[in-house]
Amino acid sequence: LAPWAVISPERSARVVLMREHGSVAVGTDLANTVRLCVYLARNARALTAARQLGPVEPLSAGEIAARRRTLPGGPEVQHSW
């Protein structure tokens, strides 16, 4: 494998986008993986549309951490499945 394709503790990505191939997603279980794939496509469309309107400000590290605390096994995840 290419060095950039290997996941290490420093690089904890759950999705890899491969040029001319698409993406690969890895979740904690089937429901998590399906949800990840659905929202990956939905968020990509939203980001593409937002960039047409102007610069996009990414979430802060604190906002990302707060969102991650609400996700694992929460009722919104189970309900969506």
Side-chain angles (χ1 to χ4, degrees):
L1 288 172
W4 52 265
V6 177
I7 301 300
S8 67
E10 297 83 32
R11 298 182 66 189
S12 59
R14 296 186 307 157
V15 176
V16 176
L17 181 61
M18 300 175 292
R19 182 180 46 198
E20 298 182 25
H21 291 286
S23 61
V24 174
V26 177
T28 56
D29 56 26
L30 180 60
N32 180 262
T33 304
V34 169
R35 183 178 179 279
L36 182 60
C37 291
V38 168
Y39 282 101
L40 175 67
R42 186 178 292 181
N43 289 339
R45 286 190 297 273
L47 180 59
T48 299
R51 284 186 169 170
Q52 293 174 355
L53 300 174
V56 175
E57 182 179 335
L59 296 175
S60 70
E63 290 169 322
I64 293 170
R67 182 64 185 142
R68 283 188 176 154
R69 285 191 298 271
T70 65
L71 287 180
E76 69 278 3
V77 173
Q78 296 306 316
H79 178 72
S80 66
W81 180 245

